Amino acid sequence: EDEQIVAEIMRRRFFPALITHKSWEGFHFAGHEIRITEATDCYGAVVWPSALVLCYFLETNSKQYNLVDKNVIEIGAGTGLVSIVASLLGALVTVTDLPELLGNLQHNVLQNTKLKCKHQPCVKELSWGIDLEKNFPRSSCHFDYIMAADVVYHHPFLDELLLTFDHLCKNDTVILWAMKFRLDKENQFVGRFQTLFDLEVISNFPSLNITLYKAMRKGRMKT
């Protein structure tokens, strides 16, 4: 079953028939052809399999996780694929990443959502753990969903990542997080995450070493 679903997910990706001056990959989600421009010199500007897993889940579970008119924020959005799919599914999306990635991110979001979405997504800088209250004040920022795909890997900002989850998450916020398991140090982040949040596995793909989690603040997860 795992391999069948993974094969279906990977079939959503396609490549240009002709070589062009700009590198891009194509994807089929939410009834649209999505073209993503990548930059192979930067981890944050490449589409990783965790993003495909999360996009597939959002599309195939759109009744249970109805995103229409929901406030969604994606952290570590990279190329923007997850945010684009959430926008095409009707969400009001805030797309975030580091300042050096915003140019390519804005390009991808705009070319794939303009005149196609109910709500035009907003691209915004978010450096994990920095100026969170200034840029995303708790009193006025409320997100129904926080989405994250492949944000845990070999980087020195795991403390800041956890702080960012904590700051953005209200009592009724749902976190949808796709994680690829790599090294023990990064894998230990799951245990630290569980000190603040209840965690539920909603999909597991051993062939990709990827797990998709749903999380809420401690004591808020519905049975």
Side-chain angles (χ1 to χ4, degrees):
E1 183 180 2
D2 165 48
E3 293 179 355
Q4 290 177 352
I5 297 176
V6 167
E8 170 59 26
I9 292 172
M10 294 307 167
R11 278 196 291 270
R12 302 303 186 94
R13 169 183 268 162
F14 67 92
F15 298 92
L18 300 173
I19 297 176
T20 61
H21 69 284
K22 186 177 289 187
S23 176
W24 63 271
E25 286 187 64
F27 303 88
H28 291 290
F29 287 109
H32 290 267
E33 178 183 298
I34 301 168
R35 293 192 177 192
I36 296 293
T37 300
E38 298 182 314
T40 56
D41 60 342
C42 178
Y43 283 128
V46 176
V47 177
W48 298 100
S50 292
L52 301 184
V53 166
L54 184 48
C55 288
Y56 181 81
F57 177 84
L58 294 176
E59 180 188 78
T60 56
N61 293 272
S62 59
K63 290 185 178 180
Q64 182 179 359
Y65 294 86
N66 185 353
L67 297 184
V68 177
D69 298 331
K70 296 296 194 303
N71 284 314
V72 172
I73 186 168
E74 185 186 5
I75 62 174
T79 62
L81 179 61
V82 171
S83 288
I84 290 165
V85 172
S87 297
L88 293 170
L89 290 171
L92 201 166
V93 183
T94 302
V95 195
T96 72
D97 213 316
L98 296 169
E100 59 266 28
L101 297 174
L102 295 189
N104 186 62
L105 182 55
Q106 178 72 68
H107 168 75
N108 284 331
V109 168
L110 189 61
Q111 78 164 355
N112 288 290
T113 61
K114 189 175 182 180
L115 303 179
K116 298 177 183 178
C117 297
K118 184 175 183 180
H119 306 286
Q120 186 61 36
C122 170
V123 176
K124 191 171 180 178
E125 176 185 341
L126 173 54
S127 298
W128 297 336
I130 298 176
D131 292 332
L132 293 175
E133 182 59 29
K134 175 183 176 182
N135 296 324
F136 300 90
R138 289 179 184 270
S139 60
S140 58
C141 287
H142 181 280
F143 297 105
D144 299 296
Y145 290 94
I146 299 171
M147 297 189 183
D150 226 357
V151 293
V152 178
Y153 53 91
H154 185 60
H155 62 71
F157 305 108
L158 294 177
D159 290 341
E160 291 81 358
L161 174 60
L162 187 59
L163 182 64
T164 301
F165 273 123
D166 184 40
H167 180 85
L168 296 174
C169 189
K170 297 289 179 66
N171 284 340
D172 58 348
T173 302
V174 174
I175 299 171
L176 295 176
W177 167 30
M179 176 176 173
K180 182 176 178 67
F181 285 81
R182 295 183 174 89
L183 303 174
D184 286 342
K185 179 182 177 182
E186 287 76 52
N187 297 350
Q188 291 170 8
F189 181 84
V190 176
R192 296 176 56 202
F193 185 88
Q194 288 180 287
T195 63
L196 298 175
F197 304 99
D198 288 323
L199 202 58
E200 175 188 344
V201 175
I202 51 178
S203 290
N204 194 33
F205 302 97
S207 63
L208 295 175
N209 216 20
I210 291 173
T211 299
L212 179 59
Y213 293 107
K214 172 186 174 182
M216 295 185 75
R217 282 205 173 277
K218 283 284 188 183
R220 305 296 299 188
M221 189 84 79
K222 294 180 180 179
T223 58

